[in-house]
Amino acid sequence: MTEPKKFTERYYQTSEKETLDKQIKEVQKSQYRPKYHIYPKVGLMNDPNGLAYYNGKYHFFFQWYPFDTLHGLKHWGHTSSTDLVNWSDQDFALIPDQEFEKNGCYSGNALEYDGKLYLFYTANYKVENGKLPKQGLAIMDKEGKITKRDKPILDHFPTGLSGELRDPFVFRRQDSFYMLLGGSKINHPEVKQKFGDEGVLLLYKSQDLINWEYQGEVDLPIDKGYMLECPSLITIEGKDVLFLSPMGIKPTEHNFKNRFATVYLVGHLEVENLKFLVDDWDELDSGFDFYAPQAFYGKNHTPLMTAWFGCGEPAYPVAEKWKHGLSYTQVLSLNKGQLKRYPAQNIVDVFDEQHHFETDELMTSSRNYRVNLTQNFNFKVGQKHDYWEFMYDKKAGLASLSRSGLQKTIDPSCGFLRFAEIKTLKEVDIFVDNSFVEVYLNKGERVFTFVTFQDEQDCLFSDGQPLIGSLFTEYNKN
Ligand code: FRU
């Protein structure tokens, strides 16, 4: 007799619709839901996948386990938008119902080719002593119909690597297509472990997006941890910007304090020499809840990026039927060779009613707003008994963010304090969307992305020094 499937290994079938619909209704009553961030209508959402501007619309796919708020069998969810503000929920894009993807449709990206949107993903396939890496393909046409290929496009892998090889990122360069894959190298086979002991980035080449030829390992002169996830590449003003999500980067005094890190590298990817020539690299986000960013080109070829609003498996102090979501979509630019990112203009424009203030205590009118501060960068947000705190040490050129004043304690095992080095701080933009908070320093030179679960309307307050800036709220048409 075959064992019944464990709950976490179930994939969606129409017979589940009624049960899910009930839970979706319950989620709609949740007091912590954001208004403008993408979040799961039920269950757990993680990495953004296949981000694209295709056929006049933004299509965002994402990792989704609909049946519970844990990392169960992953599906691809799908939502679309014309403006990056109003999203319309679409049907499941990928359901792991084939044998070769029996342990989930994992992350990947999208590329438009021949009028269609090619969706690349990892077909997660567990065997007794690990995994056999397989990469899959599905194709979406202009009518939105998604057809999955019935077999993987890649199901072999170089020796010396662990079976954890995933997250295809496909891009075009000159007349060829390339695929980046993240993985883990085994330097010490005598040690039994799930992953290997060094992160690797592999490059494959193709002429038709179906047949792929292994090129080799890309040389990256950075700490790669023990496993690299979610590679993503974009060209901005002639420079290549590579995003990586390495597991196991060693924490430094001020950086890499989350369970897993995200880094960006600016420079040039030499596909022929398998080298990334690095001008600059750094941790990408200074907050607590940020991982697996994916870059893509938006309308008019604008370089954009969206990340998972989450990281690993944090302990949340609230029992909800939904967990995590995606960051705001941000426009990427380079400033003297350094990456900057700031929410897309349409998102900024949502909060268009401006109130100037000069006070040590500012009541916000809702839990959805933006504040632009231009003086005094030591403040708290929330209520006196329940707040998060931002501090700036001008002499040290160090900004810090603390969640230790929150009544609902989040993920204590990862600590309550994060830092961002910033020599001259001129302005701080705070975007609060209920439990989702993004804080941008100097319009995105540094960013803190994090969640808070606060129950009352926010107050912005300092310890006596006047705060100067503007509060932007949604223009109330009524
Ligand atoms: C990153 C990640 C990816 C994987 C996916 C599974 O968060 O672990 O490497 O494809 O999540 O959901």
Side-chain angles (χ1 to χ4, degrees):
M1 216 176 88
T2 51
E3 290 261 311
K5 284 255 181 226
K6 267 202 276 170
F7 185 64
T8 49
E9 289 169 3
R10 264 169 40 201
Y11 63 79
Y12 178 80
Q13 302 187 49
T14 40
S15 55
E16 318 261 15
K17 189 172 180 316
E18 227 174 280
T19 326
L20 274 193
D21 282 351
K22 261 194 213 142
Q23 295 189 2
I24 290 169
K25 278 214 181 100
E26 239 181 90
V27 170
Q28 268 150 32
K29 292 186 215 140
S30 156
Q31 69 188 94
Y32 300 114
R33 280 174 314 140
K35 195 164 169 187
Y36 295 106
H37 284 81
I38 295 168
Y39 69 98
K41 54 186 178 184
V42 63
L44 180 144
M45 181 182 286
N46 57 305
D47 313 354
N49 296 150
L51 307 180
Y53 184 71
Y54 168 68
N55 197 24
K57 264 192 196 156
Y58 287 96
H59 289 274
F60 280 21
F61 303 87
F62 48 84
Q63 288 288 282
W64 187 22
Y65 182 60
F67 301 116
D68 205 344
T69 51
L70 45 82
H71 288 273
L73 192 67
K74 293 294 164 63
H75 300 53
W76 273 37
H78 179 196
T79 182
S80 66
S81 170
T82 51
D83 57 7
L84 297 168
V85 173
N86 300 291
W87 290 93
S88 119
D89 219 358
Q90 305 295 313
D91 207 355
F92 283 96
L94 300 177
I95 296 175
D97 54 6
Q98 302 294 307
E99 165 63 21
F100 70 89
E101 56 187 14
K102 66 183 172 67
N103 301 106
C105 295
Y106 271 19
S107 289
N109 84 323
L111 188 81
E112 186 175 341
Y113 176 61
D114 208 12
K116 298 198 168 118
L117 194 66
Y118 279 54
L119 306 170
F120 301 91
Y121 68 101
T122 293
N124 196 32
Y125 192 87
K126 290 186 188 163
V127 286
E128 206 181 315
N129 53 355
K131 283 184 182 174
L132 289 180
K134 298 175 192 293
Q135 316 305 326
L137 169 67
I139 299 175
M140 185 169 97
D141 66 17
K142 292 220 158 108
E143 278 70 55
K145 186 166 175 275
I146 297 174
T147 312
K148 202 193 281 171
R149 237 178 98 89
D150 61 0
K151 53 178 186 293
I153 49 169
L154 202 59
D155 67 354
H156 46 86
F157 68 119
T159 52
L161 298 185
S162 114
E164 304 279 352
L165 186 63
R166 54 179 179 246
D167 309 337
F169 187 90
V170 174
F171 60 100
R172 206 187 302 244
R173 192 149 283 191
Q174 275 101 37
D175 294 332
S176 301
F177 298 106
Y178 292 90
M179 179 194 286
L180 293 171
L181 278 181
S184 178
K185 196 166 21 181
I186 302 174
N187 295 325
H188 299 282
E190 68 285 1
V191 184
K192 282 270 157 285
Q193 50 195 349
K194 183 172 170 209
F195 296 96
D197 23 41
E198 190 188 345
V200 283
L201 182 66
L202 304 188
L203 189 73
Y204 288 76
K205 189 175 181 180
S206 170
Q207 300 307 326
D208 59 4
L209 296 173
I210 307 286
N211 298 292
W212 292 90
E213 224 174 274
Y214 181 52
Q215 305 297 294
E217 201 182 300
V218 180
D219 183 24
L220 296 168
I222 64 161
D223 179 355
K224 300 180 284 290
Y226 61 82
M227 163 82 192
L228 278 185
E229 296 189 307
C230 302
S232 179
L233 182 80
I234 193 152
T235 306
I236 310 170
E237 297 158 27
K239 288 277 180 192
D240 288 331
V241 179
L242 177 66
F243 296 99
L244 298 169
S245 296
M247 300 164 108
I249 284 200
K250 281 179 209 64
T252 58
E253 191 186 356
H254 296 135
N255 293 71
F256 307 119
K257 302 210 176 287
N258 290 344
R259 230 168 240 110
F260 308 124
T262 50
V263 299
Y264 73 92
L265 293 77
V266 181
H268 183 62
L269 173 65
E270 292 191 337
V271 286
E272 299 79 18
N273 300 327
L274 294 163
K275 256 190 178 38
F276 195 96
L277 304 176
V278 181
D279 299 341
D280 183 40
W281 79 279
D282 211 335
E283 187 169 24
L284 182 56
D285 195 90
S286 306
F288 298 84
D289 305 285
F290 183 96
Y291 196 61
Q294 188 169 100
F296 67 109
Y297 293 104
K299 199 173 174 177
N300 304 324
H301 212 61
T302 309
L304 300 174
M305 189 216 78
T306 304
W308 174 25
F309 215 119
C311 184
E313 292 176 58
Y316 275 6
V318 292
E320 298 281 315
K321 293 220 170 321
W322 66 282
K323 197 167 185 181
H324 307 308
L326 304 184
S327 73
Y328 276 147
T329 297
Q330 297 149 27
V331 176
L332 302 174
S333 60
L334 289 177
N335 177 29
K336 298 191 197 106
Q338 280 200 321
L339 187 72
K340 274 182 90 163
R341 55 195 175 97
Y342 197 69
Q345 196 58 44
N346 288 349
I347 297 170
V348 179
D349 288 347
V350 166
F351 310 102
D352 59 351
E353 192 161 293
Q354 183 173 1
H355 320 260
H356 184 74
F357 61 80
E358 194 167 331
T359 175
D360 59 1
E361 217 172 84
L362 170 83
M363 279 310 285
T364 63
S365 53
S366 70
R367 293 205 55 83
N368 308 91
Y369 59 89
R370 168 189 160 215
V371 163
N372 175 261
L373 267 184
T374 50
Q375 255 180 63
N376 185 11
F377 303 120
N378 292 292
F379 60 88
K380 295 176 180 160
V381 177
Q383 298 290 324
K384 299 255 146 80
H385 57 278
D386 182 20
Y387 60 84
W388 56 268
E389 184 171 12
F390 183 91
M391 290 150 285
Y392 182 58
D393 180 340
K394 199 169 165 185
K395 231 161 118 203
L398 193 65
S400 53
L401 189 116
S402 166
R403 285 202 294 199
S404 67
L406 288 175
Q407 227 174 42
K408 292 196 172 66
T409 304
I410 305 168
D411 204 17
S413 67
C414 262
F416 298 117
L417 196 58
R418 293 292 183 274
F419 302 95
E421 280 151 18
I422 186 148
K423 271 207 188 90
T424 319
L425 185 54
K426 296 190 206 113
E427 57 176 323
V428 175
D429 278 284
I430 310 161
F431 286 83
V432 171
D433 189 15
N434 204 344
S435 57
F436 286 34
V437 184
E438 299 181 12
V439 178
Y440 293 81
L441 312 188
N442 294 351
K443 289 278 180 299
E445 275 174 33
R446 299 279 166 191
V447 186
F448 289 92
T449 304
F450 59 101
V451 295
T452 71
F453 300 102
Q454 289 161 289
D455 297 329
E456 292 161 69
Q457 186 184 321
D458 279 344
C459 176
L460 190 73
F461 56 101
S462 73
D463 38 20
Q465 297 269 14
L467 301 165
I468 301 178
S470 290
L471 167 69
F472 295 84
T473 52
E474 290 172 76
Y475 175 64
N476 191 347
K477 293 184 189 84
N478 305 319

